[in-house]
């Protein structure tokens, strides 16, 4: 009988401890933790305080291209960034060239590079992904409480590009213009394709237009 009483008391204690250790939250409350994070504000501050200053360290595509062709591993180790250890890597690049085509979704620019005349595609319509967020290597996931906030920052950075960087350039650029750019590119280390490299722009300038304005 005494054993039964002790057993019942033991179960009661376990039940009380378990009750006070485990609790449930409404799904709305869980989401509220994420909704308090202002991704647009964070992206704007990152753009001004970290990304724009980082453009000074952009590698010229005229330098990067021959290195990718002859010493691929060195090029990736020296100039690329990424969150993980996979094959997808991001580069912050700069360049200058002549516009050879203004298409619906992109502007194609031909550069002079070490005797080559490579073509790059400046994205002017579909801007998505994490290239600009990750290319500078100055933003880290451990700065965020969860991956959703981190991804929302990427989306807001891309929105800045779509709303503020591309429209003034797109409205004026035409075939034959000489343009300069800073931006991010995504390359696959294992399956490297240098024929259709796309630049997600951070800064775009029409150089011959600037010259006309000075005159």
């Amino acid at each position: 009988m005494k054993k039964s009483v002790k057993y019942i008391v033991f179960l009661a204690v376990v039940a009380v401890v378990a009750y006070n250790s485990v609790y449930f939250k409404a799904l709305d409350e869980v989401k509220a933790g994420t909704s308090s994070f202002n991704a647009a504000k964070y992206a704007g501050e990152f753009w001004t305080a970290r990304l724009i200053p980082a453009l000074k360290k952009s590698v010229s595509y005229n330098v990067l291209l021959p290195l990718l062709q002859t010493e691929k591993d060195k090029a990736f180790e020296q100039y690329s960034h990424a969150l993980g250890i996979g094959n997808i890597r991001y580069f912050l690049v700069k360049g200058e060239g002549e516009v050879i085509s203004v298409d619906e979704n992109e502007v194609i620019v031909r550069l002079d590079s070490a005797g080559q005349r490579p073509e790059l595609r400046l994205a002017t319509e579909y801007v998505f992904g994490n290239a600009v967020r990750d290319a500078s290597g100055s933003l880290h996931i451990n700065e965020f409480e969860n991956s959703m906030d981190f991804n929302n920052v990427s989306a807001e950075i891309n929105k800045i590009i779509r709303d503020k960087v591309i429209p003034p350039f797109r409205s004026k650029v035409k075939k034959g213009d000489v343009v300069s750019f800073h931006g991010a590119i995504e390359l696959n280390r294992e399956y490297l394709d240098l024929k259709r490299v796309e630049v997600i722009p951070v800064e775009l300038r029409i150089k011959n237009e600037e010259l006309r304005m000075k005159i």
Side-chain angles (χ1 to χ4, degrees):
M1 181 69 177
K2 290 182 179 180
K3 289 184 178 180
S4 298
V5 172
K6 289 182 178 179
Y7 184 68
I8 292 171
V9 171
F10 172 76
L11 290 179
V13 171
V14 170
V16 170
V17 171
Y19 177 81
N20 287 287
S21 299
V22 180
Y23 63 96
F24 298 92
K25 295 180 71 175
L27 183 58
D28 289 343
E29 292 180 42
V30 176
K31 289 182 178 179
T34 296
S35 64
S36 64
F37 176 73
N38 190 329
K41 180 181 178 182
Y42 195 102
E45 292 172 350
F46 165 75
W47 184 280
T48 303
R50 292 197 247 180
L51 182 59
I52 297 303
L55 295 182
K56 296 177 182 178
K57 299 181 180 179
S58 301
V59 58
S60 169
Y61 195 72
N62 288 347
V63 172
L64 182 62
L65 178 61
L67 194 59
L68 286 168
Q69 293 169 329
T70 58
E71 298 182 77
K72 180 182 71 172
D73 290 339
K74 181 179 179 180
F76 273 84
E77 291 300 326
Q78 188 168 348
Y79 295 113
S80 73
H81 293 95
L83 293 179
I85 58 174
N87 290 315
I88 301 300
R89 309 284 295 183
Y90 305 103
F91 297 77
L92 206 56
V93 299
K94 62 183 177 181
E96 180 178 314
E98 180 184 353
V99 174
I100 62 172
S101 177
V102 179
D103 299 331
E104 183 178 357
N105 302 322
E106 61 190 8
V107 172
I108 302 177
V109 178
R110 179 176 291 151
L111 288 67
D112 287 319
S113 175
Q116 306 179 61
R117 304 197 71 192
E119 295 178 4
L120 290 178
R121 288 158 169 76
L122 305 178
T124 57
E125 180 65 27
Y126 300 110
V127 175
F128 55 90
N130 302 318
V132 174
R133 185 194 68 188
D134 297 343
S136 69
S138 61
L139 195 61
H140 306 283
I141 194 169
N142 57 14
E143 298 178 36
F144 301 86
E145 293 185 2
N146 55 69
S147 59
M148 181 180 293
D149 290 345
F150 191 50
N151 291 331
N152 285 341
V153 167
S154 190
E156 291 296 335
I157 290 170
N158 293 337
K159 187 174 186 298
I160 292 173
I161 296 169
R162 289 193 300 268
D163 293 349
K164 298 183 179 180
V165 176
I166 293 175
F169 174 79
R170 180 73 192 192
S171 66
K172 297 178 180 179
V173 69
K174 61 184 182 302
K175 184 177 179 180
D177 281 342
V178 176
V179 302
S180 64
F181 62 85
H182 286 82
I185 63 174
E186 174 187 312
L187 295 177
N188 188 312
R189 187 170 191 160
E190 185 174 358
Y191 303 103
L192 186 60
D193 182 3
L194 299 174
K195 294 180 180 179
R196 290 188 60 85
V197 177
E198 180 182 66
V199 179
I200 306 298
V202 175
E203 284 188 349
L204 293 167
R205 288 190 174 91
I206 304 173
K207 301 204 70 174
N208 47 302
E209 181 188 41
E210 292 178 356
L211 180 62
R212 286 196 300 269
M213 290 176 66
K214 290 179 181 178
I215 297 174

